[in-house]
Amino acid sequence: MSFSGFHRHTSDRKKRFISSLSGALLNYKVLLFALIVTAGLVPVAVFSVVQRNIQREESIQNELAQLQIRAVVLSDDITSYSSLADARRAGVFLQYSKYTSLNAMRIRIVDTSMKVVMDTYEQENDKYLVNPRVLKAFSTWSTASTGSDSEKTIETAVPLESSAGERLGVFVISMDVTQIDAQFAGVGSSTGIILAIIVLLVLFAAFLATRWLDRKEKNVNMVLSEIAAGHTSLRLRPSRMRDSAKTAELINEILDNSSLLDKTREEFVSNVSHELKTPMTSIKVLADSLNSAGDVPVEMYKDFMKDITREIDRENKIIEDLLSLARMDRPESTLNVSNVNMNDLIETTLKRLSPLADLHRTEILFESYRTVTAEVDEIKMTQVITNLVENAIKYGTEGGWVRVFLNADYQYFFLRVEDNGIGIPKEMQAHVFERFYRVDKTRSRETGGTGLGLAIVRSIVLMHHGTIRLHSETEAEGGASHGSVFTVRIPLKYSDAALKSSAAKESRESGVTEKETGRKSSREHGK
């Protein structure tokens, strides 16, 4: 293998190792295991170190207190003499040497010139001893004590006075603290054993926790795999843990919504098939009747052809409405927004519908409180007005009336369409915006509606960030005034700010989402 090939092979192995290592580190179970171990061991280790240092410091302070007492007691042997030389001749210094050899201490006596006249270690005789304890003892003529961590010793300096009250020097006694450290080394071994046991317990607890989570994850993945394989009726079991229970609840809600969506699609496909099949069946029956009749009078032939043409037009109308809904359901569907005078648009639309109103002997009244200009899609807004007014005419009372009102405030314009028809039962009002839903299926055949008109109206209104509502009472429900009232509210400015403001205001006023508002809206008057 060439050098470049070997280098490439080594580099690939290194990359694979780093990738597998990063994958393992990013595994939440590994992170959880490390977190439990860290959370369990770090406090124990810190507590052990701090406790050991505290206990060592307390032991040193106790020894220092004992050392101060000894210093005072031992120095009294000198104060009974008039000078340090007299104390030496009396054998006091020799007694100090024997005492320190038995008690692992060091005694030094410093005269007033800071010269060491006696050192039980015999290392600093006739040398000068200048340290903070000695200086403090001479300057304040009081006991000075300290512990030296760097020298591992504790020391006390006690002033010496003769029996006549003259200053003789300073009595310095010190002791090595290595014995205390040796004692704590033994204690540290015991603490280490306890710490090791705690480490094992923490590791075992972390292992059990990750094992439990792994089992829970496998159970969830097994259920999700079964669901992905097509068993969509399965659901996750709720857990006792609050977070896990919430996650399972959300996943089950998603699955329920998906099942509901599939059911809705199946019903929609069934409705589409039925609606498209009905005109085709009528056409086939009419055509078979003509073919089997032999010599058919021209008048009958023309009547049959008119019926066939009417069924074909109805089929085309259903297909056109379905295509319109499909285009509006696409996320990328857009509006051709422009500034439109709503007063002129409504008047033009009502003029176009006047022949239909005359046919049903229905009076159309339009009332506007002010001139309204809004940013809307003119063609789609014409569909909204046409469908609402046309439904009110077709499904209203023969010889009745239809009233159209237009108003606006600083943010929205309001379009209201009223009729004096028979009204819509309350149990049906929640379904009128569903596709192919009809309140009166017998009359819908007479009027030629497709059952998609109000679904199209709602889609257009939602595309404009608006809302549509229905108020209707039937005579059987004891309504003071019968008929139906559709109210459309749309922002004057088509923008993101208008969308947010519309959603916030809708939430405050009704406490429901746009989807719920649509389900609770009006009945299908016609198309």
Side-chain angles (χ1 to χ4, degrees):
M1 181 184 291
S2 64
F3 176 76
S4 60
F6 175 77
H7 178 72
R8 220 170 22 251
H9 178 69
T10 305
S11 177
D12 292 341
R13 291 184 61 185
K14 186 184 296 184
K15 288 179 180 179
R16 287 195 300 269
F17 172 75
I18 294 174
S19 176
S20 61
L21 180 61
S22 62
L25 292 177
L26 291 177
N27 189 320
Y28 79 94
K29 285 177 288 188
V30 175
L31 295 177
L32 178 63
F33 182 85
L35 181 62
I36 294 175
V37 171
T38 303
L41 297 184
V42 170
V44 173
V46 172
F47 176 78
S48 175
V49 172
V50 171
Q51 184 68 15
R52 180 178 181 276
N53 291 334
I54 292 175
Q55 290 178 351
R56 178 182 180 275
E57 185 64 25
E58 288 179 352
S59 297
I60 291 176
Q61 291 300 323
N62 291 333
E63 288 293 336
L64 184 60
Q66 293 293 328
L67 192 66
Q68 291 173 349
I69 296 174
R70 290 178 181 178
V72 173
V73 173
L74 293 174
S75 64
D76 285 343
D77 294 339
I78 297 178
T79 57
S80 59
Y81 298 94
S82 59
S83 65
L84 296 177
D86 292 342
R88 181 193 294 271
R89 284 192 293 269
V92 176
F93 289 4
L94 181 60
Q95 292 177 3
Y96 287 159
S97 298
K98 293 179 179 179
Y99 180 82
T100 54
S101 63
L102 294 174
N103 293 278
M105 295 179 184
R106 182 183 186 183
I107 295 177
R108 287 169 292 180
I109 298 176
V110 182
D111 61 14
T112 54
S113 64
M114 294 190 180
K115 183 178 180 181
V116 178
V117 295
M118 195 276 289
D119 181 6
T120 55
Y121 280 10
E122 297 183 354
Q123 295 177 353
E124 296 181 358
N125 289 327
D126 298 329
K127 294 181 180 179
Y128 292 93
L129 179 62
V130 181
N131 63 32
R133 275 81 60 195
V134 174
L135 291 175
K136 184 177 179 180
F138 274 114
S139 62
T140 62
W141 205 246
S142 60
T143 302
S145 302
T146 187
S148 175
D149 291 336
S150 61
E151 298 177 1
K152 301 296 183 182
T153 59
I154 54 177
E155 188 175 86
T156 296
V158 178
L160 296 174
E161 291 183 354
S162 67
S163 56
E166 296 180 357
R167 295 186 177 184
L168 301 178
V170 173
F171 183 89
V172 181
I173 183 171
S174 57
M175 186 179 74
D176 197 344
V177 296
T178 54
Q179 292 182 351
I180 297 176
D181 291 335
Q183 293 175 0
F184 276 94
V187 175
S189 300
S190 302
T191 305
I193 295 174
I194 297 174
L195 185 61
I197 295 174
I198 295 176
V199 169
L200 293 176
L201 292 176
V202 171
L203 291 175
F204 183 67
F207 171 76
L208 291 180
T210 52
R211 182 75 178 271
W212 178 77
L213 285 176
D214 186 59
R215 186 167 63 252
K216 296 285 288 185
E217 182 184 11
K218 286 182 179 179
N219 292 336
V220 172
N221 290 337
M222 183 175 65
V223 175
L224 293 178
S225 299
E226 292 293 326
I227 293 173
H231 303 283
T232 56
S233 61
L234 295 177
R235 293 294 181 270
L236 295 177
R237 292 182 179 178
S239 174
R240 295 180 180 177
M241 304 293 290
R242 181 178 299 178
D243 294 341
S244 300
K246 185 63 177 178
T247 302
E249 180 182 350
L250 291 175
I251 293 176
N252 289 337
E253 184 177 350
I254 292 172
L255 295 173
D256 291 340
N257 291 336
S258 178
S259 298
L260 180 60
L261 180 61
D262 291 339
K263 183 178 179 180
T264 303
R265 286 175 177 172
E266 291 175 0
E267 292 178 355
F268 177 69
V269 171
S270 176
N271 290 334
V272 170
S273 301
H274 174 74
E275 294 295 333
L276 293 178
K277 182 179 179 180
T278 301
M280 295 299 295
T281 302
S282 300
I283 293 172
K284 187 176 185 305
V285 170
L286 291 170
D288 289 343
S289 299
L290 289 176
N291 290 331
S292 62
D295 295 332
V296 180
V298 176
E299 291 76 10
M300 183 181 294
Y301 184 83
K302 289 182 179 181
D303 290 340
F304 274 45
M305 291 305 298
K306 287 181 181 178
D307 292 338
I308 290 174
T309 302
R310 186 163 52 251
E311 294 297 330
I312 292 175
D313 291 339
R314 183 165 176 267
E315 185 99 359
N316 287 333
K317 180 60 177 174
I318 294 174
I319 294 173
E320 289 174 3
D321 287 346
L322 285 172
L323 291 175
S324 298
L325 281 173
R327 284 192 293 267
M328 286 185 285
D329 285 344
R330 293 174 184 170
E332 65 274 9
S333 61
T334 57
L335 296 175
N336 185 17
V337 177
S338 61
N339 282 317
V340 177
N341 187 311
M342 294 301 301
N343 304 69
D344 294 340
L345 180 63
I346 293 174
E347 289 179 355
T348 302
T349 305
L350 295 181
K351 286 180 181 178
R352 192 159 52 243
L353 293 172
S354 58
L356 179 64
D358 294 339
L359 181 63
H360 290 79
R361 296 188 298 110
T362 300
E363 180 184 11
I364 299 180
L365 302 174
F366 172 53
E367 183 176 351
S368 175
Y369 295 94
R370 57 180 54 83
T371 301
V372 178
T373 302
E375 295 179 358
V376 296
D377 187 315
E378 184 174 357
I379 296 177
K380 287 184 170 55
M381 195 53 59
T382 302
Q383 283 183 276
V384 171
I385 301 168
T386 300
N387 282 336
L388 292 178
V389 176
E390 194 173 281
N391 287 345
I393 294 172
K394 290 181 178 180
Y395 290 88
T397 304
E398 188 77 16
W401 49 262
V402 175
R403 294 173 182 171
V404 181
F405 298 91
L406 178 66
N407 200 357
D409 58 16
Y410 71 98
Q411 194 173 5
Y412 303 95
F413 76 85
F414 303 89
L415 173 66
R416 191 167 78 251
V417 179
E418 301 180 0
D419 64 63
N420 64 336
I422 60 175
I424 304 173
K426 289 188 181 297
E427 64 272 12
M428 296 182 178
Q429 293 179 17
H431 305 283
V432 293
F433 286 108
E434 296 176 4
R435 299 172 185 186
F436 295 113
Y437 184 82
R438 294 186 176 92
V439 176
D440 189 345
K441 296 179 174 56
T442 58
R443 289 193 65 184
S444 63
R445 291 290 299 169
E446 300 173 0
T447 57
T450 63
L452 297 171
L454 287 180
I456 293 175
V457 168
R458 179 178 178 274
S459 295
I460 294 174
V461 170
L462 293 181
M463 289 178 68
H464 284 83
H465 309 148
T467 58
I468 181 169
R469 295 181 180 179
L470 164 68
H471 175 75
S472 182
E473 292 181 346
T474 63
E475 186 176 1
E477 295 167 344
S481 60
H482 311 304
S484 301
V485 180
F486 290 89
T487 303
V488 177
R489 188 193 72 182
I490 293 178
L492 295 172
K493 298 293 183 181
Y494 182 83
S495 62
D496 290 338
L499 171 60
K500 294 177 182 178
S501 177
S502 175
K505 186 173 182 180
E506 179 66 18
S507 177
R508 290 193 301 269
E509 291 179 354
S510 62
V512 295
T513 62
E514 287 182 344
K515 182 177 179 180
E516 292 169 339
T517 302
R519 287 202 306 265
K520 294 177 182 177
S521 296
S522 129
R523 71 168 169 113
E524 172 68 275
H525 269 84
K527 260 181 147 184

